[in-house]
Structures are given as structure tokens and as C-alpha cells.
Amino acid sequence: MSTEPWWRRAVVYQVYPRSFADSDGDGIGDIRGILQRLDHIAALGVDAVWLSPVYVSPQVDNGYDISDYQAIDPTFGTLADLDELIEAMHARGLRLVMDLVVNHTSDQHPWFQESRDPASPRRDWYIWRPGRPDPDDPGATLPPNNWSSVFLGSAWELDPVSGEYYLHSFTPQQPDLNWAEPAVRQAVYAMMRWWLDRGVDGFRMDVINLISKPEGLPDAEQGNQLEMVVNDPGLHRYLAEMRREVFDAYPDRTFLTVGEMLAVTPEQAVLATDPARRELDMVFQFEHMDVDHGALGKYDPQPLDLRALKASLARWQEMLAGQGWNSLYLNNHDQPRVVSRWGDDGRYWRESATLLGGVLHLHQGTPFVYQGEEIGMTNYPFARPEDYRDVEAARAYEIATMMGLPEELILGSMARMSRDNARTPMQWDGDAEAGFTTGRSWLPVHQNHLWLNVAAQQDDPHSVLSFYKRLIALRKTEDVITTGSFRLLEPDHARLWAFVRESGDQRLLVVANVSGDPLRLPAGDPFAALDGGRLLIGNYPDGAGDAPGGAEGGAGAEPGVLRPWELRAVYV
Ligand code: GLC
């Protein structure tokens, strides 16, 4: 019997429930909506679904601010609906991975409400500190240290009730739990077991590498708390304890655990995912998603330098090979749509959407497909500040305005990078509101839903959707994709993304032209073998360059030449 865990050959589909499917016409997606669309997910051939939070929440950060971990927010449905979802998914051979948000709770969680009283036994469940005296104003205080929150501004909020500050790595409505307090950890573990008992198959752990804070909470050199927190060694102790206290209680089941880790290095990821250390199965890292961030960070986007992107992914392939395990993603609910970000969502929309998905999936690891990615959904043309719904966008706008940056620049960056780009409704068909809701959607539907939608792609063998189905199926049949070694080719080439996967006598060459101009491949091995090899998958209708067609409707490709945004994976 093989001891290989199922998730090594799995593809996971992420559902952001607010924007997936609305069953009751209130304009917000819900669990019954997911149930109605389960056939779409199953038809993709994926193995599991990661469901973003559906727990009771004031929705300051769209459910990532939880006020009751063991109940479903009425916006999304009921616990009975969730039980039905688990059952319906299992009946289709799909597993359900829930979001676990335990670095922080909502400030409306009863734990935090109690904790605000300094005499409460729950005081130490959160991180409270007195302020520092303000040298300029004897009556006032300054925050306990200089840490800034991930969403900008100080990470501390003064609570008038007790006159002390509490730490919040995100919005002030998301106070950080104090993981150093054993009772907090036990409460979290009990809650996790309660979900596993209901049948869920694992957890995606939100910002899990922030849970352990350094002793004494010292000032950060750059003022960014992440540099102080993300590599705190206490994390590994907590993850190992969680494994023992939660997952080991079910020796007959194999779960999937993936930890979202901000600013994580491959060295830390190896520690967290080495099976022998018994912590997590895989992490979501950010290095490759940050390659286009400028000096001012995420909202200072720069043109993509392909060399940086492919080098980053290759480094993670090498560092984790045989030791840890990679997750693979280019999209999720926190990222703008990759086809708009690094592809060409105009003329070469179909080619670039399929190229990016294809290249990613042919790396080693477990790929995650974010809702709408499988049909090539694009960024939304956001124009005015009031068009956004995301708290992060609101804070970025406020701070950039305070810094005196020109309005045009701010709005341009927000349109490119805002998380709301990922959160516009799933485009099911060409009807008003894209088949997402019968009411009025909470975020506007992209006007391109008229042609860019599931229904339009369903029966088209050359659609993005059909390409993703083929891609996902390959993982089940081609061992080299799961187990093969990885070698990046031509690292300094600014337009060519090429690598070789090898396992036994299988040798898979992947070449992709990340540009809108034809690209002549380098001479010699292994490129010379491309045209004679067996094509595994390509993103042009005619596969290799032996037939007419192509995006321009002109001649097919010459031997040794890739057409605009062409991808080919060939056994050589
Ligand atoms: C994670 C989530 C993001 C959320 C943040 C705070 O990064 O993916 O959506 O805003 O954590 O919970």
C-alpha cells in the first residue's frame, strides 16, 4: 500500500463564498449557491475545495474577522447547509478544506469582549500593553512599540476601557490572539477537532506564521512588525503541538494542512513542511507574488521582470525538493487577476491565461486554482475610490493621500493591485449579473461577462476552461509532473520561460513565450528536440507548429519558433 498522501497528486480549487454563487438573491454568495454549482467544480477534475471563511463575522475583512468559530454567518447560510455541502462534496469525491483564522479574532468575539476587562481571566488571551510616555505631550501615550500593521498604520490600538493598547496585525477590528497563553491554544485545538469531527478534510491556515511573537515585543528596525514576527522560532513549537493535539487524534484520516506564511523564506518553509518534523503539509509563500512590488510595496507595482519570477519559483523548487512540499498559485482572493497582471488581457487573453496556468501547474507541488481563474477572469476597471469594498484598499488610499501622492497615481496603482479585482462575482453566463445572483451583486460584475463566462466556454474545446480541465487531468496520468526533478533553463532570458522535468526515463520539456512577439528558441539541447517530441499539452489549437491557425488567424508557427504567448510541454 502506498503511503503517499493524497494531496501530493491533488489540485485544489478555492471558493471565495461571497463572490461565487448567490442562491437567495441578496447579492452575496452563499453555501447553497456553492451546492448549486458543485457540478462545475467536480467537472474540473479537482480533488479538494478550499473554502474561504463562512463563520459568523462582522465582515470588516470579509469574514477574516471571526466572532464565532463554530457557527455559520447567516449571510452564508446555516450549519445544516455546511453539513450538506460536506456530504455533497464527499459524494463527488471532493474534500473540503476550511479556512482557519486564528492569528486574530474579530473584536466582537466574546473572548475579546471579556479580555477588555483587565480583571478578566481572559485578559491574557490577547496582547495588551501599557503605552509609552509621549515626550511631547505629558498627558498622552505612544503605542508600546513601533510595529506597523500589515494593512498600514500602527499595529496598536488604545482601548479606552482599560487605558492599554492591544496588538492587531491587521485592522483594529482584528485583535491578535496571544498564543503564548496555553488556554488559547487549547481552545483553538478543540475548535479544530470539532470541525474535523463534522467531516472536514483539513485547514488552510490564515497568516499562520504570525502567531508566535518575539519575547518582549522589541521595536522593529524598519518599523515593520513582520520582520520581527515571521521567523520567530516559537512558531514551529506551536505547529508541532497542533499536529499532535489535533490531527494525530485521527490516525485513519489524511488531512491537508496549508499554512499561509507572509515573508517566509524557503529555509523556514522546509522546517514547516518537512514530513519528518510533523508540522504542516505545505505553505503559501509570497516571494513570487512580490516580484513586481516597488520600493513602496504592493501599491507601487512595477512591470514584471520575468527573470525574477522564474528564478524565484525555481529557487523554491530546488530548496524544497525531497524535503518539504510546495503549493503552487498565481491567484487567490488577495491578489489581482494574474492574466491582467502578468499576461495580456486584451489581444492575447486566451493564450496568456492558459500559458500562465500551464507553466505553474507543470512545476512540482500542489496547484491551487482560484474561482474564475479557470475561465481567465480579468481585473475589473476600477476608477473611483468609492468603487472599492476592501478595507485594505481603503487604508492604502487614506495613507497614500496623507503622504501627498498624486490622486491619479494612487488610483492607478489601486486599480492594478487591489484585492477587489479577485472578488468581483464569478461569471457564470452572459445574463445581467452574470448568473451570479438574481438580485444586485455586492461588487459590480465585469462587463466582459457578456463573452467571458463559464457557459460560453463549456463546450469550446479551445477555451481556457477546457485547457484547465486537460491540465488538471494530466496530474493524474503523468508521474513526472508530481515526482520529477526540476531544472530551469535560460534563466537570463527575459521572455522565455523554460524548464525540464525529469523522472526515470521520462523527460518533459516545458517552453513558454511570455510576450506578444514570436520567439525563436535557442539552438542545441534540449530545445532542438522540441519539434520532434511528443506534445503533452499546448495552448494553441493546433498544438505544435504544423498547422495553420494561431491567435492571429495567420500561418502556424515555424519549427523552433514559439508564437505569441505560446506554451508547449513536450516529451523529448
Ligand atoms: C490573510 C487573508 C486575507 C486577510 C488577512 C487577515 O492574508 O488571506 O484575506 O485579510 O489574512 O486575516
Side-chain angles (χ1 to χ4, degrees):
M1 199 187 92
S2 155
T3 53
E4 187 190 68
W6 61 268
W7 43 259
R8 286 203 178 222
R9 285 171 201 271
V11 176
V12 184
Y13 186 79
Q14 182 191 354
V15 170
Y16 192 68
R18 239 186 142 65
S19 308
F20 190 64
D22 174 23
S23 71
D24 61 6
D26 67 355
I28 301 177
D30 47 44
I31 296 171
R32 302 218 68 82
I34 304 172
L35 276 161
Q36 290 165 3
R37 298 291 187 175
L38 221 43
D39 287 341
H40 170 75
I41 300 176
L44 288 171
V46 298
D47 305 86
V49 170
W50 151 27
L51 180 61
S52 278
V54 288
Y55 315 99
V56 175
S57 160
Q59 305 287 333
V60 169
D61 189 16
N62 288 0
Y64 284 92
D65 49 318
I66 297 168
S67 53
D68 185 346
Y69 287 111
Q70 290 170 228
I72 302 297
D73 197 286
T75 310
F76 298 121
T78 64
L79 203 49
D81 293 334
L82 194 93
D83 287 340
E84 199 178 319
L85 182 67
I86 295 173
E87 207 182 312
M89 286 185 51
H90 287 173
R92 287 172 170 80
L94 292 166
R95 309 194 194 227
L96 179 62
V97 173
M98 296 288 274
D99 219 304
L100 180 80
V101 188
V102 290
N103 173 68
H104 44 268
T105 67
S106 160
D107 63 347
Q108 300 306 307
H109 197 294
W111 296 345
F112 185 73
Q113 291 299 325
E114 283 175 47
S115 172
R116 294 177 69 183
D117 173 1
S120 149
R122 290 231 160 90
R123 182 65 169 178
D124 287 339
W125 282 41
Y126 294 82
I127 300 170
W128 293 97
R129 293 287 183 280
R132 291 192 278 200
D134 182 347
D136 299 328
D137 179 356
T141 58
L142 293 171
N145 70 21
N146 70 351
W147 294 3
S148 62
S149 98
V150 176
F151 288 163
L152 313 172
S154 172
W156 294 93
E157 185 77 5
L158 180 62
D159 183 33
V161 177
S162 62
E164 287 195 338
Y165 290 79
Y166 64 88
L167 183 71
H168 58 88
S169 295
F170 295 87
T171 68
Q173 293 81 30
Q174 293 165 295
D176 282 38
L177 281 165
N178 178 18
W179 273 69
E181 168 62 46
V184 166
R185 307 204 298 274
Q186 288 310 321
V188 168
Y189 302 154
M191 174 272 283
M192 292 172 74
R193 288 189 299 259
W194 185 86
W195 280 107
L196 296 180
D197 288 342
R198 292 201 99 80
V200 315
D201 302 290
F203 294 103
R204 172 272 184 184
M205 305 178 184
D206 193 64
V207 293
I208 200 69
N209 66 333
L210 303 193
I211 58 178
S212 180
K213 315 293 196 255
E215 195 64 45
L217 310 180
D219 272 344
E221 240 168 71
Q222 314 284 334
N224 179 350
Q225 70 132 316
L226 287 183
E227 61 182 279
M228 304 303 296
V229 175
V230 293
N231 290 329
D232 193 71
L235 170 69
H236 299 289
R237 203 161 33 85
Y238 295 149
L239 291 176
E241 180 184 83
M242 178 193 282
R243 175 76 168 243
R244 286 193 305 274
E245 301 260 333
V246 179
F247 303 105
D248 286 358
Y250 307 83
D252 301 332
R253 293 167 66 186
T254 307
F255 302 108
L256 185 161
T257 58
V258 49
E260 186 199 27
M261 295 203 178
L262 304 183
V264 67
T265 60
E267 289 80 4
Q268 286 293 324
V270 167
L271 292 180
T273 66
D274 175 352
R277 292 173 47 91
R278 303 186 50 72
E279 295 184 15
L280 299 176
D281 299 327
M282 60 193 90
V283 308
F284 286 136
Q285 54 99 1
F286 285 78
E287 191 184 281
H288 68 299
M289 298 311 289
D290 293 353
V291 294
D292 61 357
H293 293 187
L296 297 178
K298 165 175 176 174
Y299 286 100
D300 179 19
Q302 304 297 314
L304 174 68
D305 179 352
L306 179 69
R307 287 164 296 203
L309 176 62
K310 62 190 185 180
S312 168
L313 282 172
R315 191 162 85 96
W316 281 76
Q317 293 284 297
E318 282 154 24
M319 300 271 304
L320 270 61
Q323 291 198 68
W325 189 253
N326 273 295
S327 74
L328 303 170
Y329 76 95
L330 291 172
N331 288 285
N332 62 36
H333 66 292
D334 292 329
Q335 301 290 341
R337 294 284 180 179
V338 78
V339 65
S340 300
R341 184 179 185 176
W342 294 337
D344 172 353
D345 64 8
R347 183 172 184 192
Y348 294 112
W349 161 75
R350 196 189 63 79
E351 290 75 14
S352 61
T354 48
L355 176 147
L356 289 163
V359 168
L360 184 77
H361 281 232
L362 294 168
H363 282 70
Q364 186 180 56
T366 300
F368 286 70
V369 178
Y370 176 64
Q371 66 184 42
E373 174 183 343
E374 76 277 28
I375 54 169
M377 277 179 62
T378 65
N379 277 356
Y380 182 86
F382 288 105
R384 301 162 310 166
E386 60 271 24
D387 293 342
Y388 297 89
R389 291 289 168 277
D390 181 21
V391 270
E392 185 197 66
R395 292 194 41 113
Y397 180 75
E398 195 185 316
I399 285 169
T401 310
M402 254 160 47
M403 285 166 66
L405 298 177
E407 174 91 356
E408 222 181 78
L409 190 77
I410 306 174
L411 290 178
S413 310
M414 283 170 63
R416 277 172 68 184
M417 299 307 279
S418 167
R419 308 194 296 181
D420 280 334
N421 282 305
R423 301 174 180 185
T424 62
M426 178 72 185
Q427 295 170 196
W428 295 103
D429 58 39
D431 290 356
E433 306 297 293
F436 164 71
T437 179
T438 53
R440 210 141 152 76
S441 163
W442 71 282
L443 249 191
V445 169
H446 199 302
Q447 51 275 49
N448 67 13
H449 78 277
L450 292 173
W451 59 270
L452 198 175
N453 62 60
V454 174
Q457 296 189 23
Q458 201 74 59
D459 301 318
D460 172 2
H462 304 310
S463 65
V464 179
L465 180 57
S466 297
F467 179 86
Y468 263 83
K469 287 181 182 168
R470 283 196 286 144
L471 192 58
I472 292 165
L474 288 182
R475 190 159 290 270
K476 305 286 177 258
T477 55
E478 310 303 303
D479 194 57
V480 70
I481 299 176
T482 305
T483 62
S485 65
F486 179 97
R487 186 162 52 92
L488 185 68
L489 305 171
E490 303 292 325
D492 297 326
H493 201 300
R495 297 195 290 138
L496 174 64
W497 198 343
F499 51 86
V500 172
R501 304 290 315 275
E502 244 170 308
S503 163
D505 55 7
Q506 284 193 309
R507 190 175 181 225
L508 184 67
L509 171 64
V510 179
V511 289
N513 172 9
V514 187
S515 82
D517 298 311
L519 186 155
R520 180 166 296 280
L521 290 169
D525 182 64
F527 301 106
L530 186 78
D531 289 300
R534 176 166 76 80
L535 181 74
L536 180 64
I537 192 166
N539 69 342
Y540 268 60
D542 55 6
D546 55 2
E552 323 208 37
E558 296 167 52
V561 174
L562 293 177
R563 289 164 287 184
W565 294 98
E566 181 171 12
L567 159 86
R568 272 189 254 164
V570 177
Y571 279 115
V572 295

